[in-house]
């Protein structure tokens, strides 16, 4: 999980004022998640909200740069360098078959039983229709591209 820096080491590029309120809102939500009580949740469920918020924040910047073309490359690279977004997750989204990837833990074979990918990476048409499933790491219910 990338650490969010509150003290900027260099001046942000032009266009920062457009995305700053959204990033501040994500930071506020992250702080709320960190201080939320976790005694009633299982151990594997405690990090789910953090993974989901990391995905939302990274997807927000990814969409602004690659899909909508609303921010400059300089601003995008600034967000990557200052670790406002998860650069490795965005790099995976650019590869075919990983466009909907929810988190990096779902493709790490060392974290899974039988050294395979997570159940959320299996296309829904290959699974039993009556079976409900979710990723044990991030709570995803299906992030494969073959839906």
């Amino acid at each position: 999980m990338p650490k969010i820096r509150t003290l900027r080491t260099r001046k942000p590029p032009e266009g920062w004022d457009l995305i700053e309120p959204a990033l501040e809102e994500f930071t506020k939500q992250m702080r709320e998640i960190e201080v939320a009580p976790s005694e009633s949740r299982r151990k594997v469920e405690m990090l789910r909200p953090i993974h989901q918020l990391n995905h939302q924040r990274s997807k927000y910047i990814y969409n602004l740069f690659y899909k909508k073309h609303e921010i400059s490359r300089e601003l995008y690279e600034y967000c990557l360098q200052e670790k406002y977004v998860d650069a490795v997750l965005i790099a995976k989204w650019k590869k075919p078959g990983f466009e909907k990837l929810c988190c990096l833990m779902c493709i790490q074979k060392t974290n899974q039983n039988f050294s395979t990918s997570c159940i959320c990476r299996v296309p829904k048409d290959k699974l039993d229709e009556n079976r409900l499933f979710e990723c044990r790491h991030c709570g995803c219910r299906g992030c494969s591209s073959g839906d």
Side-chain angles (χ1 to χ4, degrees), residues 9-127:
T9 56
R10 61 180 218 215
K11 185 179 175 187
E14 189 175 326
W16 173 252
D17 54 338
L18 297 174
I19 63 171
E20 186 177 23
L23 291 177
E24 286 178 1
E25 181 64 30
F26 285 127
T27 304
K28 179 181 168 188
Q29 289 175 5
M30 185 66 79
R31 287 191 186 122
E32 290 172 1
I33 290 170
E34 289 171 350
V35 298
S38 60
E39 294 85 24
S40 62
R41 294 186 282 183
R42 297 181 308 178
K43 184 177 178 181
V44 296
E45 293 177 346
M46 290 177 9
L47 294 177
R48 284 182 184 176
I50 294 173
H51 287 297
Q52 291 169 351
L53 191 61
N54 180 47
H55 177 273
Q56 289 175 357
R57 184 179 54 225
S58 298
K59 195 67 166 180
Y60 172 72
I61 298 297
Y62 175 82
N63 285 338
L64 285 178
F65 182 69
Y66 287 105
K67 303 292 183 188
K68 298 179 183 177
H69 305 289
E70 293 181 4
I71 61 174
S72 65
R73 175 165 294 281
E74 184 182 358
L75 181 57
Y76 172 71
E77 289 176 359
Y78 175 81
C79 291
L80 291 176
Q81 290 171 353
E82 296 297 318
K83 301 200 187 308
Y84 284 105
V85 296
D86 191 347
V88 180
L89 184 60
I90 289 177
K92 286 292 182 186
W93 285 337
K94 292 190 276 184
K95 294 182 179 180
F98 294 98
E99 295 88 1
K100 296 181 184 179
L101 182 64
C102 54
C103 71
L104 294 171
M105 294 183 76
C106 291
I107 58 172
Q108 292 176 346
K109 296 183 180 196
T110 57
N111 293 337
Q112 309 299 330
N113 295 337
F114 311 112
S115 297
T116 61
S117 293
C118 183
I119 187 70
C120 69
R121 296 296 299 156
V122 177
K124 290 181 182 179
D125 59 347
K126 303 243 191 261
L127 294 172

